């Protein structure tokens, strides 16, 4: 059986890996719109979390299998349609992730100084489409809307001492911009309370222990929570206890450590969590062009736990800031008119990865179940979809008696449209160049951010 996977992030690679491992004859082709593979492992994981990127080693092994091929620089839906892929393969798995972000839907959202966290992350991680972002870092206060791990990542990158960032694979131009940054205070704002935050304890602890930076949590926000959290699941309980402990710590208690690291008196930078505030409007400067703050509705919670809803109380508050980053979630987009898409939920309607009403078409990862969870969640989800494909092969739902040409057929379509795919060995040349450039600068790699430069490098 010939199977193709669209998207080379964790969902795509884990799907391919499972198929190859559990079917001794399956051949899998992976298509990717960028010349370079690995999706959010390359472009989403924070530069100071290199250990999370170790999955790239197992993905590389998968790509080097003689029954697997990688074809980068191919945009499915434009260079080749899903229908054409279905003609060429016995099964097509869509694993292309969530390449857009949810919008706030409030006035002032398009002012200069307002960015999506997704674009900001793409900028410091070298995602080609975000390389020219030029975020305005000339203000002292930044406001991040959202209480998830991405919000903490962004806050951490804004406040991390430069000498620590210099040793990571953060891009050269974002490092230069951060070196001139005036940002020294970051507020993370959420509509709900401390019991509803979506970030995890590892990320929170990292933020609390950030050198040269002081956490500012208001003890009043945590009154009575010790009791409320008694019967909560252990991760939620530990997370809340850590926030309470941090809120109650006296400012002086952390300065000693800060002095030792940063060689200066009180921490020059700070960050804090604000709860039960919902953004109503980004306020413009007098000339109407720049963001100067955010007006927020104060909320109260109805219900409890994860299902609690934030309801405006009628009171509002204004917070001054020159940089606003909205971190309220990623969003998948429809790929091709031939593929059903639920715009409400931002997913391809499916059951166990089988796309509703389209036999032979499958999906895995964020486009299957929505943009939540970490790499391990995506791994299990992708194995689940791959299992559905294997069951359908076993049960004869997929007709393998007719041979399919696979990449042979697709290649002639691409050639006729002037598209030159990038192979995995092409990527390994790009990879070697990035690593060599990084070594010269004392970094793990220096990412190339311009796709044209990548293609020139491999002689395209």
């Amino acid at each position: 059986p010939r199977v193709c996977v669209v998207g080379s992030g964790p969902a795509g690679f884990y799907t391919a890996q499972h198929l190859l491992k559990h079917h001794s004859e399956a051949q899998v082709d992976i298509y990717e719109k960028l010349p370079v593979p690995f999706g959010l492992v390359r472009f989403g994981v924070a530069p100071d979390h290199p250990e999370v990127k170790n999955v790239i080693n197992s993905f590389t092994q998968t790509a080097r299998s003689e029954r697997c091929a990688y074809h980068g620089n191919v945009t499915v839906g434009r260079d080749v349609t899903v229908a054409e892929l279905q003609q060429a393969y016995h099964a097509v798995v869509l694993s292309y992730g969530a390449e857009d972000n949810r919008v706030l839907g409030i006035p002032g959202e398009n002012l200069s100084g307002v960015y999506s966290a997704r674009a900001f992350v793409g900028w410091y991680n070298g995602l080609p489409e975000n390389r020219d972002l030029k975020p305005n870092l000339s203000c002292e206060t930044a406001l991040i809307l959202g209480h998830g791990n991405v919000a903490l990542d962004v806050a951490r990158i804004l406040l991390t001492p430069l000498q620590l960032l210099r040793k990571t694979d953060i891009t050269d131009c974002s490092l230069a911009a951060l070196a001139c940054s005036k940002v020294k205070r970051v507020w993370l704002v959420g509509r709900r309370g401390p019991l509803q935050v979506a970030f995890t304890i590892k990320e929170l602890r990292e933020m609390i222990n950030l050198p040269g930076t002081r956490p500012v949590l208001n003890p009043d926000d945590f009154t009575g929570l010790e009791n409320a959290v008694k019967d909560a699941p252990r991760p939620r309980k530990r997370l809340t206890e850590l926030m309470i402990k941090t809120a109650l710590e006296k400012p002086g208690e952390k300065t000693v450590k800060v002095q030792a690291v940063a060689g200066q008196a009180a921490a020059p930078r700070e960050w804090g969590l604000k709860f039960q505030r919902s953004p109503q409007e980004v306020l413009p400067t007098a000339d109407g062009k720049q963001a100067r703050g955010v007006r927020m509705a104060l909320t109260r919670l109805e219900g409890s736990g994860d299902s609690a809803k934030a309801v405006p109380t009628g009171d509002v508050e204004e917070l001054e800031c020159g940089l606003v980053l909205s971190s309220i979630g990623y969003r998948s987009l429809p790929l091709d008119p031939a593929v059903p898409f639920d715009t409400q939920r931002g997913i391809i309607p499916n059951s166990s990865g089988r796309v509703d009403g389209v036999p032979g078409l499958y999906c895995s990862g964020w486009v299957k179940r929505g943009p939540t969870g970490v790499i391990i969640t995506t791994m299990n989800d992708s194995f689940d979809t791959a299992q559905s494909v294997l069951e359908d092969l076993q049960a004869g739902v997929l007709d393998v008696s007719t041979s399919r040409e696979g990449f042979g057929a697709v290649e002639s379509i691409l050639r006729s449209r002037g598209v030159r795919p990038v192979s995995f060995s092409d990527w390994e040349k790009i990879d070697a160049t990035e690593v060599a450039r990084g070594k010269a600068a004392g970094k793990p790699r220096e990412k190339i951010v311009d796709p044209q430069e990548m293609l020139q490098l491999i002689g395209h």
Side-chain angles (χ1 to χ4, degrees):
R2 289 182 181 266
V3 181
C4 94
V5 172
V6 177
S8 71
F13 265 106
Y14 281 127
T15 303
Q17 191 179 307
H18 193 84
L19 289 167
L20 294 164
K21 183 178 171 185
H22 297 282
H23 195 300
S24 59
E25 289 167 13
Q27 297 189 334
V28 182
D29 289 340
I30 300 174
Y31 291 90
E32 166 60 55
K33 68 172 183 177
L34 290 169
V36 294
F38 310 134
L40 280 190
V41 182
R42 178 177 165 101
F43 297 118
V45 174
D48 57 351
H49 286 175
E51 71 290 347
V52 183
K53 302 183 191 191
N54 290 339
V55 293
I56 284 178
N57 301 331
S58 80
F59 296 168
T60 298
Q61 272 182 301
T62 300
R64 284 179 180 159
S65 149
E66 62 270 23
R67 291 187 289 124
C68 185
Y70 167 83
H71 308 289
N73 199 36
V74 176
T75 303
V76 173
R78 186 192 69 193
D79 301 336
V80 57
T81 66
V82 170
E84 287 166 332
L85 290 177
Q86 287 183 287
Q87 288 290 299
Y89 293 91
H90 294 108
V92 174
V93 187
L94 303 174
S95 311
Y96 62 88
E99 50 188 340
D100 196 15
N101 51 274
R102 291 174 52 196
V103 294
L104 291 161
I106 59 171
E109 186 167 12
N110 299 323
L111 288 168
S112 172
V114 184
Y115 311 90
S116 73
R118 185 191 170 283
F120 190 76
V121 169
W123 169 71
Y124 64 64
N125 272 334
L127 184 61
E129 67 185 73
N130 300 127
R131 67 184 191 270
D132 300 323
L133 193 71
K134 298 190 175 60
N136 172 21
L137 305 177
S138 63
C139 57
E140 288 195 357
T141 305
L143 188 71
I144 300 172
L145 299 164
H147 277 169
N149 282 341
V150 174
L152 282 188
D153 277 347
V154 167
R156 202 177 62 253
I157 296 296
L158 282 169
L159 296 173
T160 294
L162 275 181
Q163 68 266 26
L164 298 179
L165 285 180
R166 279 201 184 97
K167 301 184 179 78
T168 72
D169 68 1
I170 191 168
T171 62
D172 202 32
C173 82
S174 49
L175 195 59
L178 287 162
C180 308
S181 169
K182 301 272 192 293
V183 176
K184 57 182 191 197
R185 188 180 307 104
V186 177
W187 294 112
L188 295 108
V189 178
R191 288 175 313 166
R192 302 193 293 168
L195 295 180
Q196 287 81 28
V197 295
F199 49 72
T200 43
I201 193 160
K202 175 184 170 284
E203 280 69 18
L204 177 66
R205 193 177 288 120
E206 212 176 352
M207 197 70 205
I208 291 168
N209 296 328
L210 193 62
T213 308
R214 174 175 89 88
V216 184
L217 301 190
N218 182 351
D220 298 347
D221 287 334
F222 300 93
T223 316
L225 286 195
E226 282 106 327
N227 284 333
V229 84
K230 270 205 181 91
D231 306 320
R234 188 160 176 268
R236 173 67 67 191
K237 189 170 184 238
R238 287 176 57 224
L239 179 66
T240 309
E241 284 165 355
L242 178 58
M243 286 191 279
I244 294 172
K245 176 178 173 283
T246 308
L248 296 176
E249 216 165 64
K250 299 285 170 288
E253 290 172 23
K254 195 167 172 275
T255 341
V256 190
K257 183 160 69 181
V258 168
Q259 267 171 327
V261 176
Q264 56 213 66
R269 297 176 159 195
E270 57 183 33
W271 66 276
L273 299 170
K274 288 187 180 287
F275 300 102
Q276 293 184 227
R277 287 163 169 81
S278 179
Q280 276 190 330
E281 182 181 0
V282 181
L283 304 165
T285 47
D287 65 5
K289 291 186 179 138
Q290 287 277 118
R292 64 165 176 86
V294 177
R295 179 186 300 122
M296 293 176 290
L298 273 52
T299 65
R300 59 183 167 79
L301 293 188
E302 283 185 1
S304 61
D306 290 342
S307 58
K309 292 246 182 299
V311 182
T313 60
D315 292 329
V316 294
E317 172 185 280
E318 289 186 7
L319 222 150
E320 267 182 67
C321 58
L323 174 65
V324 181
L325 293 156
S326 108
S327 183
I328 57 168
Y330 287 31
R331 194 171 71 114
S332 295
L333 298 171
L335 178 77
D336 186 305
V339 181
F341 193 80
D342 179 343
T343 43
Q344 217 38 55
R345 295 167 60 206
I347 58 168
I348 294 172
N350 70 90
S351 93
S352 298
R354 297 176 177 91
V355 175
D356 291 359
V358 192
L361 192 60
Y362 303 81
C363 57
S364 69
W366 282 3
V367 75
K368 167 183 169 187
R369 59 159 214 284
T372 54
V374 289
I375 291 176
I376 193 91
T377 337
T378 294
M379 178 183 86
N380 291 323
D381 169 81
S382 304
F383 289 175
D384 171 61
T385 291
Q387 205 50 47
S388 294
V389 177
L390 294 168
E391 285 167 17
D392 291 353
L393 284 167
Q394 189 76 44
V397 176
L398 298 172
D399 179 16
V400 197
S401 62
T402 53
S403 76
R404 299 282 168 103
E405 267 188 87
F407 183 63
V410 175
E411 191 176 22
S412 39
I413 291 172
L414 294 175
R415 194 177 301 124
S416 73
R417 291 173 190 163
V419 178
R420 285 184 73 180
V422 168
S423 69
F424 201 76
S425 56
D426 288 335
W427 148 247
E428 292 186 307
K429 284 179 201 151
I430 298 170
D431 180 41
T433 305
E434 290 188 340
V435 171
R437 289 180 187 180
K439 197 172 179 188
K443 303 167 65 174
R445 75 170 61 236
E446 184 59 64
K447 288 180 188 167
I448 297 168
V449 298
D450 181 1
Q452 284 322 112
E453 189 185 339
M454 294 173 186
L455 296 174
Q456 268 163 356
L457 199 70
I458 54 175
H460 265 45

